[in-house]
Amino acid sequence: MDDEIQRLAGQLRALAASTPEGDEDAIPMLTEVVEVPRYDSSELPQTLTGIDWPQLALRVQENVLERLLNRSEALLDAQLRASLQAVIGRAAESLAADLGATLQELIRDLVARAVTEELTRVHDEVVRARSGVRPDPR
């Protein structure tokens, strides 16, 4: 359980360190009071000896972590947005390069086909002129 808390705390510290200065209020400082949900009196034991301390500690930990993570959502959104912009930028560059290469290949094929058709037409005219046949008016 302590390892999990340490891991989550490390993630929150890393997240806070990687964000702009304006987002300082998104994660509470250790000196701040974090409000946890109140418990119904029906849920609480009548005596301190009847408390399942490990279960209570786990429940409080989950509630605090949930609130911290909800508050850090703004930080995650900003970090995700920046990461997505970089990924989308690289994808757009790659797509532009692929489209350019495909367009060049298509133009080469079209020009080669047009040149072949024109050479065939000129060849046919030369053959007809030598054999005395009138050219076809196409």
Side-chain angles (χ1 to χ4, degrees):
M1 185 183 325
D2 287 338
D3 291 339
E4 181 69 14
I5 292 173
Q6 292 298 330
R7 185 183 66 76
L8 290 171
Q11 286 177 347
L12 288 174
R13 277 193 295 277
L15 193 59
S18 68
T19 58
E21 295 297 321
D23 290 336
E24 289 179 0
D25 295 334
I27 296 179
M29 301 302 289
L30 290 178
T31 56
E32 292 181 46
V33 175
V34 178
E35 290 192 27
V36 294
R38 300 290 177 212
Y39 301 95
D40 269 342
S41 59
S42 64
E43 294 178 310
L44 298 175
Q46 298 302 316
T47 65
L48 290 179
T49 57
I51 295 176
D52 182 0
W53 291 106
Q55 181 62 31
L56 181 61
L58 183 61
R59 185 172 174 191
V60 170
Q61 175 187 340
E62 288 172 355
N63 290 336
V64 170
L65 284 176
E66 182 179 331
R67 288 197 177 239
L68 285 173
L69 291 175
N70 285 340
R71 289 184 70 186
S72 67
E73 194 170 300
L75 293 174
L76 292 174
D77 285 347
Q79 188 176 9
L80 182 61
R81 190 176 303 112
S83 296
L84 282 177
Q85 285 175 344
V87 169
I88 290 171
R90 287 191 303 268
E93 289 173 7
S94 176
L95 180 61
D98 288 349
L99 286 174
T102 302
L103 185 59
Q104 285 179 352
E105 186 178 331
L106 180 63
I107 290 172
R108 281 192 188 105
D109 290 346
L110 289 173
V111 168
R113 188 177 310 148
V115 167
T116 301
E117 288 174 3
E118 186 62 21
L119 287 175
T120 302
R121 188 186 65 74
V122 169
H123 179 266
D124 290 347
E125 284 184 22
V126 169
V127 169
R128 277 191 225 112
R130 285 191 180 164
S131 65
V133 179
R134 294 186 141 193
D136 189 16
R138 286 187 211 177

